[in-house]
Amino acid sequence: MLKYFLRRMAILIPTLLGVTVIVFIIINMAPGGPIEQRLQQIRFGGGDTSGNTSSSRGASQGVSDEVLEALKKQYGFDKPMHVRYLIWLKNIATLNFGESFTYEEPVIDVIVSKFPVSLQFGIISLILSYLVSIPLGIVKAIKHGSFFDLSSSFMLFVFYSIPSFMLAILLIVFFSGGSFFEIFPVGGLNSEMYDELSTFDKFLDRVHHFILPLICYTIGSFTSLTILMKNSLIEEIKKDYIRTARAKGLNEKVVYMKHALRNALIPIVTGLGGFLTVFFAGSLLLETIFQLDGIGLLSYKSILSRDYNVIMGLVFIQSALFLIGNVLSDFAYVLVDPRIDFT
């Protein structure tokens, strides 16, 4: 078992490097890099326009060669692409992700500053998904084919089919816009008077602001997990050892909860590896609609502004957490069912 995990960890490193190489090449070959954007700012902002005005330079038109060379040196573009990647890789070894071109501060500080929003919604969404979906899936499996099973499946698929951003707009119109009800705030994480509230009132204020975006974050995740739990349990109760348990006269509750459930939970365990990615849970559309300054919005703004260091930092951390999460999923498999042997 130990050899298996060491082998997985050894494969993880080249996989991670492969991801970063591909992303690094793509974002560096994309037009409209930070130098071009800076040159645009200089021209339209009335900055330094002295010297060479050759029309052949495109974006650098009207900017002297000295300024152009200084900008290349500032952003590190005075070196070939492969050299820039090796320098980035060397810095990563010391967890130095560089400095953000846009925010002009260390990338890790920029990313960490967006954690609170994504972390809160990610953890709560994950916990709610499992707390609701597993019991619901068990009940649906026990009552398979009943009215409850059919009606709950219908509702789950309706929820699953609604795009989260559309649901967000509907919820705001009905519950925040004032046209129908005005129960919840339109957006934000807290109210303007938040700092003046007591601790308990601060908690209630956060909950008040959390409800609508949380519904949009979690509503779609219930369906796949519930159906997976239900189908997994139904498959288990068809097996011979369950028939043997029933033949012994065991109570149905004991048959389901003691004998079948443990094996039925094995497919559910695969999702636990995604726990690490909750640190980066974010949705550009939901964060925009509900005015939440999280990781999703940061990723979008970084791509638009060609903030390479932030993009590479996000890709590296998210990829590493995803790959480590997969290894942890395998470990969880063994914990749930010791009969599984990866060797």
Side-chain angles (χ1 to χ4, degrees):
M1 189 66 190
L2 179 62
K3 289 182 180 177
Y4 170 78
F5 284 111
L6 290 176
R7 193 164 62 244
R8 285 293 304 270
M9 294 305 291
I11 296 173
L12 186 148
I13 294 172
T15 305
L16 189 57
L17 290 177
V19 171
T20 58
V21 166
I22 293 172
V23 174
F24 191 88
I25 292 173
I26 291 174
I27 63 174
N28 274 274
M29 293 184 70
I35 293 180
E36 286 83 355
Q37 296 201 12
R38 181 62 180 150
L39 290 172
Q40 292 283 350
Q41 291 175 5
I42 290 175
R43 285 212 307 273
F44 290 106
D48 182 4
T49 58
S50 62
N52 195 335
T53 57
S54 171
S55 60
S56 63
R57 287 197 175 88
S60 61
Q61 183 178 9
V63 177
S64 68
D65 290 337
E66 291 77 13
V67 172
L68 191 58
E69 290 303 319
L71 285 175
K72 285 183 178 178
K73 188 173 183 180
Q74 178 185 347
Y75 291 109
F77 284 83
D78 56 334
K79 304 177 182 66
M81 188 189 300
H82 68 280
V83 175
R84 297 203 303 274
Y85 176 76
L86 291 175
I87 293 173
W88 177 83
L89 205 57
K90 179 185 173 185
N91 292 334
I92 284 296
T94 58
L95 294 181
N96 176 13
F97 293 92
E99 188 165 304
S100 165
F101 302 150
T102 306
Y103 297 90
E104 297 182 347
E105 56 182 282
V107 168
I108 193 67
D109 291 345
V110 175
I111 294 175
V112 169
S113 69
K114 310 299 179 186
F115 269 171
V117 174
S118 302
L119 192 61
Q120 291 173 59
F121 282 106
I123 289 178
I124 296 174
S125 301
L126 184 71
I127 293 173
L128 273 180
S129 298
Y130 278 86
L131 283 180
V132 173
S133 300
I134 291 179
L136 182 59
I138 294 171
V139 174
K140 283 173 65 63
I142 294 173
K143 297 185 177 182
H144 178 57
S146 66
F147 175 76
F148 172 78
D149 178 38
L150 297 176
S151 58
S152 59
S153 294
F154 174 77
M155 292 304 298
L156 285 171
F157 282 108
V158 168
F159 292 150
Y160 188 72
S161 63
I162 301 176
S164 58
F165 72 92
M166 185 62 72
L167 179 63
I169 294 171
L170 289 175
L171 290 176
I172 288 175
V173 169
F174 279 97
F175 296 107
S176 304
S179 302
F180 297 90
F181 303 100
E182 196 164 1
I183 302 173
F184 299 103
V186 176
L189 277 177
N190 48 52
S191 60
E192 294 180 358
M193 308 291 289
Y194 182 78
D195 292 335
E196 300 174 11
L197 299 176
S198 64
T199 304
F200 183 68
D201 287 336
K202 284 182 178 178
F203 172 75
L204 292 180
D205 186 65
R206 278 296 181 99
V207 171
H208 194 212
H209 284 77
F210 256 59
I211 291 177
L212 293 189
L214 190 61
I215 290 172
C216 300
Y217 269 107
T218 56
I219 197 90
S221 61
F222 292 140
T223 305
S224 55
L225 200 56
T226 302
I227 299 301
L228 180 62
M229 182 70 243
K230 175 195 169 185
N231 291 339
S232 178
L233 190 55
I234 288 177
E235 285 298 316
E236 283 301 318
I237 60 179
K238 291 178 180 175
K239 292 182 178 177
D240 290 341
Y241 74 96
I242 295 297
R243 293 194 189 96
T244 303
R246 282 174 169 158
K248 289 180 178 178
L250 293 178
N251 184 285
E252 279 295 302
K253 184 178 179 181
V254 175
V255 171
Y256 275 102
M257 304 307 291
K258 185 177 180 180
H259 293 273
L261 182 59
R262 182 173 180 176
N263 291 329
L265 282 173
I266 292 176
I268 306 298
V269 169
T270 56
L272 289 177
F275 172 75
L276 293 177
T277 59
V278 301
F279 293 94
F280 287 87
S283 166
L284 166 63
L285 294 175
L286 291 182
E287 289 179 5
T288 303
I289 292 172
F290 288 109
Q291 304 162 39
L292 304 171
D293 192 13
I295 293 294
L297 202 56
L298 173 66
S299 304
Y300 177 67
K301 288 180 178 177
S302 300
I303 292 171
L304 283 186
S305 61
R306 301 292 192 273
D307 198 337
Y308 293 167
N309 287 336
V310 174
I311 297 171
M312 289 303 297
L314 287 171
V315 168
F316 178 82
I317 298 174
Q318 287 177 316
S319 301
L321 292 178
F322 178 77
L323 292 171
I324 293 172
N326 284 338
V327 177
L328 292 179
S329 292
D330 290 348
F331 188 68
Y333 265 132
V334 178
L335 287 180
V336 174
D337 188 355
R339 294 172 301 174
I340 296 176
D341 185 7
F342 289 108
T343 57

